Structure formats: C-alpha cells, structure tokens
Amino acid sequence: MADGQVVLVTTESLGGGSPVRSVYFVAELDPEKAKAIVGAMMAPNEKVEAWGRLPEAAVKALGLKPGDFKHG
C-alpha cells in the first residue's frame, strides 16, 4: 500500500450561483493519475485538481485498494 491523493472537484453552477466543491480520496500516489481516475466520472463543467497527498494510514483507514476512490 502507498500514499494517495486528495482530489478537489469544483462544479460551476449553471445558474450563476456559487460553485459546489467536493473532495475525493484516491488510492493513487501520482497526482495526474489521481485526477484522471476521478475526472473520468465527472461532467465537462467540473474542474478536477489534485489538492495534496493522502497518507498511507488514511488510505488504509478508508479501505481503499490501488486505483479506488471515495467521496469525502
């Protein structure tokens, strides 16, 4: 098991209101790969960005296997 990434998804409001932000925990150390894993499930109006490292202990505590992700 290894460290993962915290990924932030920002969804712009179609009605012009405030954006909605969601956090995902990804069992993938590489930030670009983590973004791609989560980004594959997102809509075109959603911005996906790697926010920082998720320690291995947190990956284990969340029960994530390599390549898995969980909404925070």
Side-chain angles (χ1 to χ4, degrees), residues 11-52:
T11 306
E12 295 297 332
S13 174
L14 298 176
S18 297
V20 175
R21 292 181 178 86
S22 301
V23 174
Y24 290 83
F25 304 110
V26 186
E28 170 56 59
L29 180 59
D30 182 271
E32 291 303 313
K33 289 181 182 178
K35 284 172 41 178
I37 289 168
V38 175
M41 304 299 291
M42 298 300 131
N45 69 322
E46 294 177 303
K47 178 181 172 188
V48 180
E49 55 190 312
W51 224 29

Side-chain angles (χ1 to χ4, degrees), residues 1-8 23-31 34 38 49-72:
M1 189 64 63
D3 290 350
Q5 288 289 317
V6 177
V7 174
L8 178 67
V23 174
Y24 290 83
F25 304 110
V26 186
E28 170 56 59
L29 180 59
D30 182 271
V38 175
E49 55 190 312
W51 224 29
R53 181 172 260 171
L54 181 67
E56 180 179 4
V59 173
K60 287 181 181 178
L62 290 166
L64 298 172
K65 304 284 187 253
D68 286 351
F69 67 92
K70 184 177 271 191
H71 186 263

